[in-house]
Amino acid sequence: MAGFHTKTFINHDDYMTPKSAWEAIEEYIPKNKKIWESFYGDGNSGKYLTEMGFNVIHEDIDFFDDNVRPEYDLIVSNPPFSHSKEVMDKLYEIDKPFILIFPSSKINTTYFRRWKDRNIQIIIPRKRIHFNKLLDGKIIKEKSKCNFDCFYYCYKMNLPKDIIWLE
């Protein structure tokens, strides 16, 4: 019988956010704030948010380097999932508003539980987000759709409810 130990997984974080993922929550992103799309990827995410009318900073800089952090009001991004803990630890330290796309399972981790007294709010998409896989700078056509669910994790966004189910 095959078990989990027989599989080989390659850590691959280059999954780009489709415009539809930002359009789904457009009404919850304030137009009058300066957004930092802090994880560059292929550069399209920042372009999509700009096309939607948001004031966006989207440069290929290191999110973890305090010396290059731009002036911004909130972060709207899809961070690399393999660095979720480091991202959430840094955001805890920074203590500024954000909307981040992460797998729904992340809410069960120790590092997310640390946020229990800081009022994380969640937006639940109507269906799975199908990210664009980037390999060697090119979008790769996937044979199958995304096999996990993601939430939009929000902090200091003053959403009307703590859990919002998108229609």
Side-chain angles (χ1 to χ4, degrees):
M1 177 163 82
F4 183 77
H5 64 281
T6 64
K7 298 185 184 223
T8 303
F9 294 98
I10 297 171
N11 208 9
H12 185 80
D13 275 332
D14 293 332
Y15 288 89
M16 304 301 115
T17 313
K19 189 174 187 179
S20 59
W22 298 134
E23 290 171 333
I25 63 163
E26 183 173 3
E27 69 184 282
Y28 301 108
I29 305 171
K31 294 270 189 191
N32 62 340
K33 302 287 185 187
K34 187 183 288 186
I35 294 171
W36 181 24
E37 209 305 16
S38 52
F39 294 92
Y40 194 76
D42 65 357
N44 283 331
S45 186
K47 182 179 95 179
Y48 298 150
L49 289 163
T50 300
E51 287 172 357
M52 293 166 60
F54 297 103
N55 180 6
V56 182
I57 301 164
H58 193 53
E59 302 165 357
D60 195 5
I61 58 176
D62 185 354
F63 168 78
F64 298 101
D65 186 344
D66 295 333
N67 297 317
V68 296
R69 186 171 299 117
E71 291 295 320
Y72 68 96
D73 298 311
L74 70 129
I75 291 174
V76 176
S77 195
N78 171 21
F81 297 163
S82 70
H83 295 286
S84 301
K85 180 187 183 321
E86 295 88 351
V87 169
M88 292 308 293
D89 286 349
K90 188 61 158 177
L91 289 169
Y92 195 88
E93 174 189 316
I94 295 169
D95 196 35
K96 289 189 80 165
F98 63 75
I99 299 175
L100 300 178
I101 299 173
F102 274 129
S104 57
S105 60
K106 295 295 181 184
I107 198 134
N108 292 318
T109 62
T110 303
Y111 56 88
F112 255 91
R113 289 181 182 272
R114 177 181 183 192
W115 288 80
K116 68 182 180 205
D117 296 324
R118 288 209 179 167
N119 194 30
I120 291 285
Q121 295 179 303
I122 297 172
I123 301 173
I124 302 172
R126 187 178 63 80
K127 57 184 181 178
R128 288 185 175 161
I129 299 170
H130 297 291
F131 301 97
N132 299 313
K133 183 176 182 177
L134 193 66
L135 187 60
D136 297 326
K138 296 179 182 154
I139 297 291
I140 301 297
K141 197 72 168 159
E142 294 279 2
K143 292 179 183 172
S144 61
K145 298 289 186 177
C146 186
N147 63 355
F148 58 90
D149 294 303
C150 286
F151 293 160
Y152 301 89
Y153 294 90
C154 308
Y155 175 62
K156 288 188 174 181
M157 294 304 301
N158 299 314
L159 299 176
K161 296 189 292 189
D162 287 339
I163 300 176
I164 295 174
W165 298 80
L166 296 179
E167 295 299 322

